[in-house]
Amino acid sequence: MELTASERHRLKKMAYGHKTPHQARQRATIVLLAARGRGNARIAAENRLHVDTVRRWRGRFAAGRMPALDDRKRSGRPPTFTALQTAEVKALACQLPTESGAPLSRWSCPELAREAVTQAITDTISASTVRRWLKDDALKPWQHRSWIFIRDPNFRATAQRVLDLYARIFDGAPLGEDEYVISADEKTSIQARCRCHPTLAPGQARAMRVNHTYGRGGALAYLAAYDIHRAEVFGRCEQTTGIAPFMKLVEQVMTSEPYANAKRVFFIVDNGSSHRGKSAIDRLAARFPNAVLVHTPVHASWLNQIEIFFSIVQRKVVTPNDFTDLDQVRDRLRRFEGRYNATRSSRSSGSSPPPTWTICWPDSTGTQSPTYRKNPPRHSQHDQPPKDFRSRPLSSPGTAGPGGTALWRRPVRQARDKTAECRPEPYRPQPRGSDVPAQPSAPGTAAVGRGRPAPGLSTADVPTAARHGGPPNAQDR
C-alpha cells in the first residue's frame, strides 16, 4: 500500500494526536502499518485487534482512501412518528385553543400532547417530543404579546408636533430662549398600605422582606409637570383628578419664574378627561395667555415624557408600598421632588444637543403603523441603556457619536486581581550548607514556610531538620 505525502501527514496526526477519537486512532494506525509492508496478522497481534477488523479498514482505505475511514451512514432507529403526524401537531400549535374546543387560553407542550391524543393524531406522545418539534420551527404558542391599532386619523401630524417640541421646534421655527416645554399628567390611585408587620431591612444573602398582609389607608392622585429641557419637576398631591386639580398644577407652574414672564409655555398632555379637547385649550389660554396646550395622539400617552418620571416614582418611591397613612405618602413624594430637582444639573440637556426622533414606517407606502425611535443608533449597539436612561444626561464629553448624537456607553470595570492580595511569597530553598540568609516576605516579619529563618539568622543557625524537612543529624542533636 502506497501513501501520498498529504495522506501520510494526515494519518500521522490522527494516529498520534492527543484529541483524536480512539476508533480513528486505530484505523490510522492500521493504514500506517500496512503502508510499511506488514501483514494483517502481525498488525492485529501488535494492536490487539481481530484480523477481520484489520482486513476491513485496510480494504476500505484502498477503495476510498481517506474519506473511507469515516463511519458509514446508518439507518438508525425507525421513526416512531410520521412526517404527517409531526405537521398536524405543529398545525395544532398554530391554532387558538378555542378553535379546537379546548377550554384553554393558550397552549403548552403537555396540553398539546394531550390534545394530539384526543384528536387521534397519534396513540401516545410525550411533552418533550412536542417541545422538540416546536423548537425546530421556533414555535412558542405559550407566549403572547399585546398590540393596538392607531385610532387617531391624524396620528402622524399630531405626533410630529409633539416630537418637534422635544427638539425645540414649533411650526417649523426653533423656539427662543424664553420659550419652554412642559410635560404634564396625573398618576392616579397611589395607595397607603400599612403593613401588619414592620418591613425588615435587607441583609447578607437576604432581600428586603415586606409583609403581604396590609391595611388600606386611602389613596390619592399625584399630579406632576416636567420641564423637558431644564429637567425640573413640579408636583402636587390631590384627593382626586379633574379639571380643578389640573388647573392648580398649571397655576403652580405659571406663577413661578421663568414661566410667569416667558413668551410661550407649551404644555404637552394626553387626552385625559381633565384636559381633553378644544375646551381645555381655550380654558388654559383664557387663564394664562402665554400657555399653549398641545395634545398627544389618541392612545399614545407613551409619547408624553412625564410617563418616564412616573415610572421612576413607581420604582423608587412607591414600591414596595409601605405607608402608615396618606400624609407619609405626600411627605415622601415632596421630598423626592426636592431630591430629583437637586440633581437636575446631571440630567439637564440644556448644553447638549436635543434628542432626535425618527418616524420609521414599515413599508414605502406608509399604510402600516409607524414606529417612533428616540436617538436611533447610527451603528449596531450591543450594550443597552438603563431603564431610566432618558432621565440621565443625553450626552457628555467624549460620549457623543457621529453628528452629535448621544450614545450610551457601559462604564468599563477595572479588573481586580484578587489573587495578588493573598498570594504568598514563593519559597526558594537555599543550597545545603549555604550561609546566605533567606529573604523574608516583608521587612519586620518572620519568614513563612519550611526552612525559612527569621531576619538576622543564617541557615547555619537553623537545624538541618528545619531547613530540609528530614530527620536531624547527629550534630543537631
Side-chain angles (χ1 to χ4, degrees):
M1 182 181 295
E2 296 182 359
L3 300 176
T4 63
S6 62
E7 289 177 343
R8 187 178 298 276
H9 177 70
R10 292 179 59 185
L11 288 171
K12 285 185 177 181
K13 289 185 64 177
M14 292 174 59
Y16 305 114
H18 295 286
K19 297 183 179 181
T20 306
H22 179 67
Q23 291 181 345
R25 185 193 302 270
Q26 284 185 341
R27 298 166 190 175
T29 304
I30 291 173
V31 176
L32 287 174
L33 293 178
R36 295 178 184 177
R38 298 185 183 181
N40 295 342
R42 183 179 177 183
I43 296 175
E46 291 179 354
N47 294 273
R48 296 182 180 181
L49 298 174
H50 197 277
V51 66
D52 292 341
T53 304
V54 177
R55 188 182 298 110
R56 179 189 307 114
W57 292 110
R58 187 171 182 174
R60 287 189 183 182
F61 182 83
R65 310 307 290 179
M66 290 298 297
L69 295 181
D70 297 333
D71 290 336
R72 292 178 178 177
K73 292 185 178 180
R74 303 174 182 176
S75 59
R77 188 183 67 178
T80 307
F81 305 97
T82 63
L84 179 60
Q85 291 175 326
T86 304
E88 288 180 349
V89 173
K90 292 181 180 179
L92 183 63
C94 295
Q95 298 177 1
L96 295 177
T98 54
E99 298 179 6
S100 301
L104 301 171
S105 60
R106 49 184 174 171
W107 290 116
S108 63
C109 291
E111 294 294 344
L112 281 171
R114 182 181 304 176
E115 188 67 20
V117 175
T118 302
Q119 295 188 11
I121 298 178
T122 179
D123 295 335
T124 178
I125 188 174
S126 63
S128 59
T129 301
V130 175
R131 186 177 296 108
R132 185 172 63 253
W133 290 351
L134 299 182
K135 184 179 179 181
D136 294 340
D137 288 345
L139 296 176
K140 300 178 181 180
W142 50 86
Q143 295 183 357
H144 72 281
R145 296 180 62 182
S146 60
W147 54 275
I148 186 175
F149 273 124
I150 293 177
R151 296 177 54 187
D152 195 337
N154 299 322
F155 179 87
R156 185 167 190 172
T158 308
Q160 188 65 55
R161 191 183 187 193
V162 174
L163 301 183
D164 286 346
L165 284 175
Y166 290 159
R168 297 192 60 82
I169 299 174
F170 185 72
D171 290 342
L175 299 182
E177 295 294 334
D178 56 347
E179 294 178 314
Y180 303 92
V181 180
I182 303 294
S183 176
D185 201 3
E186 307 96 345
K187 182 175 177 60
T188 60
S189 187
I190 300 181
Q191 301 184 32
R193 298 178 177 178
C194 182
R195 306 292 170 172
C196 298
H197 296 276
T199 300
L200 300 180
Q204 184 178 5
R206 186 190 68 196
M208 180 191 300
R209 297 184 179 180
V210 182
N211 182 241
H212 180 72
T213 308
Y214 59 88
R216 299 182 183 272
L220 54 79
Y222 180 56
L223 290 79
Y226 180 72
D227 191 322
I228 301 298
H229 303 105
R230 298 178 70 243
E232 186 174 1
V233 177
F234 302 87
R236 61 184 303 112
C237 296
E238 298 288 345
Q239 291 296 329
T240 183
T241 60
I243 297 177
F246 178 74
M247 292 304 296
K248 290 180 182 179
L249 176 66
V250 175
E251 185 175 359
Q252 178 182 348
V253 176
M254 297 302 295
T255 54
S256 61
E257 293 295 341
Y259 311 103
N261 298 320
K263 180 180 179 181
R264 284 185 301 183
V265 180
F266 298 91
F267 280 85
I268 300 177
V269 295
D270 56 16
N271 293 272
S273 58
S274 304
H275 33 69
R276 180 190 302 166
K278 185 67 166 54
S279 58
I281 298 176
D282 298 337
R283 182 168 56 250
L284 185 65
R287 181 68 180 84
F288 301 100
N290 60 339
V292 180
L293 196 65
V294 179
H295 289 95
T296 61
V298 179
H299 281 259
S301 59
W302 44 270
L303 279 178
N304 203 341
Q305 293 256 335
I306 192 62
E307 301 296 341
I308 303 174
F309 176 73
F310 284 156
S311 174
I312 298 173
V313 169
Q314 181 66 36
R315 289 182 283 111
K316 295 186 176 182
V317 182
V318 179
T319 304
N321 193 315
D322 187 9
F323 301 98
T324 56
D325 51 24
L326 292 180
D327 292 336
Q328 189 177 4
V329 179
R330 296 188 185 95
D331 179 68
R332 185 177 297 182
L333 288 172
R334 182 175 62 255
R335 289 191 293 112
F336 181 76
E337 287 177 17
R339 179 189 182 95
Y340 192 85
N341 292 332
T343 58
R344 66 172 182 168
S345 59
S346 63
R347 300 186 310 273
S348 177
S349 58
S351 59
S352 304
T356 58
W357 292 76
T358 302
I359 303 180
C360 304
W361 293 88
D363 57 359
S364 59
T365 59
T367 57
Q368 299 184 9
S369 304
T371 301
Y372 288 85
R373 296 179 181 177
K374 181 180 179 181
N375 292 334
R378 301 179 184 271
H379 56 83
S380 60
Q381 291 178 278
H382 299 286
D383 293 342
Q384 297 296 328
K387 293 182 179 179
D388 55 343
F389 73 101
R390 296 184 187 178
S391 64
R392 300 188 179 185
L394 294 178
S395 65
S396 59
T399 60
T405 304
L407 301 177
W408 181 83
R409 287 291 182 270
R410 178 176 294 172
V412 179
R413 179 176 297 177
Q414 298 294 336
R416 178 183 176 186
D417 188 5
K418 296 183 179 180
T419 59
E421 301 177 1
C422 57
R423 186 184 296 119
E425 183 73 19
Y427 168 62
R428 299 181 179 88
Q430 301 294 333
R432 185 162 187 157
S434 174
D435 293 334
V436 179
Q439 298 297 328
S441 57
T445 59
V448 180
R450 185 176 60 187
R452 301 181 66 181
L457 298 178
S458 65
T459 55
D461 300 326
V462 182
T464 307
R467 283 188 281 115
H468 302 288
N473 50 28
Q475 63 178 0
D476 294 331
R477 286 195 294 264

XYZ file of all heavy atoms in Angstrom, residues 168 177-182 226-234 253 256-259 340-351:
274
model
N -37.256 71.326 20.421
C -37.341 72.793 20.494
C -37.656 73.398 19.135
O -37.023 74.369 18.688
C -36.054 73.388 21.074
C -35.762 72.970 22.511
C -34.641 73.808 23.114
N -34.983 75.222 23.142
C -35.729 75.822 24.082
N -36.234 75.085 25.078
N -35.974 77.108 24.027
N -35.130 81.539 23.584
C -34.598 81.272 24.907
C -35.658 81.413 25.987
O -35.529 80.819 27.059
C -33.422 82.215 25.193
C -32.219 81.987 24.289
C -31.572 80.626 24.519
O -31.709 80.100 25.638
O -30.948 80.093 23.583
N -36.703 82.231 25.733
C -37.749 82.455 26.725
C -39.008 81.640 26.416
O -40.115 82.038 26.787
C -38.099 83.946 26.804
C -38.514 84.519 25.456
O -38.289 83.840 24.425
O -39.068 85.635 25.430
N -38.851 80.503 25.750
C -39.955 79.595 25.470
C -39.618 78.220 26.050
O -38.500 77.733 25.881
C -40.218 79.501 23.961
C -40.717 80.814 23.358
C -40.930 80.708 21.865
O -40.047 80.160 21.176
O -41.968 81.160 21.383
N -40.610 77.590 26.700
C -40.361 76.375 27.453
C -41.391 75.311 27.087
O -42.488 75.617 26.620
C -40.411 76.651 28.961
C -39.436 77.725 29.398
C -39.832 79.068 29.462
C -38.128 77.409 29.721
C -38.945 80.059 29.846
C -37.233 78.390 30.110
C -37.644 79.712 30.173
O -36.748 80.686 30.544
N -41.003 74.062 27.330
C -41.852 72.921 27.019
C -42.061 72.134 28.318
O -41.092 71.699 28.954
C -41.232 72.010 25.938
C -42.152 70.835 25.635
C -40.939 72.804 24.675
N -43.337 71.960 28.698
C -43.708 71.272 29.931
C -44.516 70.030 29.570
O -45.434 70.090 28.740
C -44.533 72.182 30.864
C -43.759 73.460 31.172
C -44.891 71.443 32.138
C -42.501 73.245 31.986
N -43.256 68.342 34.134
C -41.827 68.132 33.937
C -41.325 69.028 32.813
O -41.820 68.972 31.682
C -41.576 66.661 33.598
C -40.135 66.303 33.364
C -39.236 66.243 34.410
C -39.672 66.003 32.084
C -37.913 65.899 34.198
C -38.355 65.655 31.861
C -37.483 65.603 32.921
O -36.175 65.274 32.700
N -40.355 69.876 33.145
C -39.725 70.724 32.135
C -38.758 69.863 31.334
O -37.766 69.344 31.870
C -38.993 71.890 32.796
C -38.557 72.943 31.794
O -38.143 72.568 30.678
O -38.630 74.151 32.108
N -39.039 69.712 30.046
C -38.288 68.779 29.220
C -36.814 69.149 29.139
O -35.931 68.296 29.267
C -38.898 68.698 27.811
C -40.356 68.260 27.879
C -38.081 67.763 26.921
C -40.527 66.891 28.471
N -36.522 70.415 28.945
C -35.156 70.821 28.662
C -34.422 71.338 29.893
O -33.201 71.470 29.858
C -35.162 71.904 27.572
C -35.840 71.463 26.313
N -37.101 71.892 25.955
C -35.444 70.596 25.338
C -37.451 71.330 24.809
N -36.468 70.537 24.419
N -35.129 71.613 30.982
C -34.472 72.041 32.221
C -34.463 70.937 33.264
O -33.853 71.079 34.327
C -35.167 73.284 32.778
C -35.102 74.479 31.841
C -35.823 75.692 32.385
N -35.122 76.264 33.529
C -35.620 76.338 34.749
N -36.840 75.851 34.989
N -34.940 76.876 35.736
N -35.165 69.824 32.987
C -35.186 68.652 33.880
C -35.620 69.031 35.287
O -35.052 68.587 36.280
C -33.827 67.967 33.903
N -36.686 69.824 35.385
C -37.223 70.245 36.677
C -38.662 69.764 36.808
O -39.426 69.814 35.846
C -37.161 71.763 36.824
C -37.569 72.254 38.203
C -37.362 73.739 38.372
O -36.916 74.389 37.396
O -37.645 74.261 39.465
N -39.011 69.298 37.995
C -40.315 68.704 38.247
C -41.105 69.581 39.201
O -40.564 70.089 40.194
C -40.167 67.279 38.832
C -41.530 66.693 39.163
C -39.434 66.384 37.866
N -42.384 69.779 38.881
C -43.347 70.420 39.758
C -44.456 69.407 40.033
O -45.039 68.854 39.099
C -43.947 71.674 39.109
C -42.928 72.705 38.719
C -42.294 72.649 37.488
C -42.597 73.729 39.581
C -41.355 73.588 37.120
C -41.651 74.681 39.229
C -41.030 74.612 38.000
N -47.115 76.087 38.188
C -46.000 76.265 37.268
C -45.940 77.686 36.741
O -44.880 78.324 36.721
C -46.107 75.250 36.107
C -45.004 75.490 35.083
C -46.053 73.829 36.617
N -44.496 80.715 38.830
C -43.082 80.699 39.204
C -42.239 81.114 38.008
O -42.656 80.993 36.851
C -42.676 79.302 39.690
O -42.854 78.341 38.660
N -41.076 81.619 38.307
C -40.149 82.031 37.253
C -39.346 80.814 36.786
O -39.110 79.888 37.561
C -39.208 83.124 37.777
C -39.903 84.426 38.094
C -40.501 85.100 36.885
O -40.077 84.762 35.747
O -41.392 85.938 37.053
N -38.972 80.800 35.507
C -39.102 81.840 34.474
C -40.375 81.748 33.646
O -40.483 82.415 32.612
C -37.880 81.576 33.599
C -37.708 80.091 33.674
C -38.136 79.673 35.045
N -41.366 80.946 34.074
C -42.536 80.707 33.245
C -43.536 81.853 33.329
O -44.296 82.077 32.387
C -43.206 79.404 33.686
C -42.239 78.258 33.809
C -41.785 77.835 35.065
C -41.741 77.616 32.689
C -40.882 76.798 35.191
C -40.837 76.571 32.805
C -40.407 76.174 34.062
O -39.510 75.157 34.177
N -34.867 64.993 43.437
C -34.756 64.895 41.982
C -34.302 66.217 41.375
O -33.438 66.243 40.494
C -36.105 64.467 41.409
C -36.060 64.046 39.958
C -35.730 62.740 39.606
C -36.353 64.946 38.945
C -35.691 62.347 38.283
C -36.317 64.559 37.619
C -35.990 63.264 37.290
O -35.946 62.882 35.982
N -34.875 67.312 41.834
C -34.503 68.621 41.292
C -33.112 69.044 41.730
O -32.449 69.813 41.037
C -35.522 69.676 41.715
C -36.876 69.470 41.062
O -36.965 68.927 39.961
N -37.942 69.873 41.734
N -32.642 68.550 42.886
C -31.302 68.911 43.343
C -30.225 68.327 42.464
O -29.116 68.866 42.392
C -31.115 68.453 44.791
N -30.524 67.238 41.790
C -29.540 66.597 40.908
C -29.868 66.832 39.442
O -29.410 66.085 38.588
C -29.513 65.081 41.180
O -30.822 64.539 40.974
C -29.070 64.807 42.599
N -30.675 67.856 39.143
C -31.078 68.061 37.750
C -29.928 68.522 36.874
O -29.986 68.388 35.655
C -32.203 69.083 37.672
C -31.806 70.490 38.092
C -32.905 71.484 37.811
N -32.500 72.830 38.167
C -33.170 73.914 37.808
N -34.264 73.778 37.103
N -32.755 75.111 38.155
N -28.868 69.080 37.468
C -27.744 69.525 36.644
C -27.084 68.371 35.915
O -26.514 68.540 34.844
C -26.710 70.247 37.507
O -26.241 69.372 38.530
N -27.176 67.168 36.493
C -26.600 65.994 35.838
C -27.519 65.391 34.800
O -27.115 64.519 34.051
C -26.258 64.923 36.879
O -27.430 64.480 37.533
N -28.795 65.849 34.763
C -29.743 65.316 33.794
C -30.152 66.340 32.752
O -30.716 65.991 31.728
C -31.018 64.836 34.505
C -30.815 63.767 35.522
C -32.157 63.293 36.043
N -33.016 64.372 36.468
C -33.010 64.897 37.685
N -32.165 64.443 38.587
N -33.828 65.874 38.006
N -29.922 67.628 33.025
C -30.375 68.666 32.108
C -29.626 68.575 30.798
O -28.425 68.352 30.754
C -30.179 70.049 32.730
O -30.545 71.057 31.822
N -30.344 68.756 29.717
C -29.749 68.698 28.374
C -29.648 70.086 27.760
O -29.654 70.246 26.569
C -30.600 67.790 27.476
O -31.930 68.282 27.405
N -29.580 71.126 28.623
C -29.527 72.480 28.071
C -28.290 72.729 27.257
O -28.320 73.442 26.261
N -27.138 72.164 27.673
C -25.895 72.358 26.945
C -25.612 71.235 25.968
O -24.548 71.192 25.372
C -24.733 72.461 27.942
O -24.653 71.278 28.718
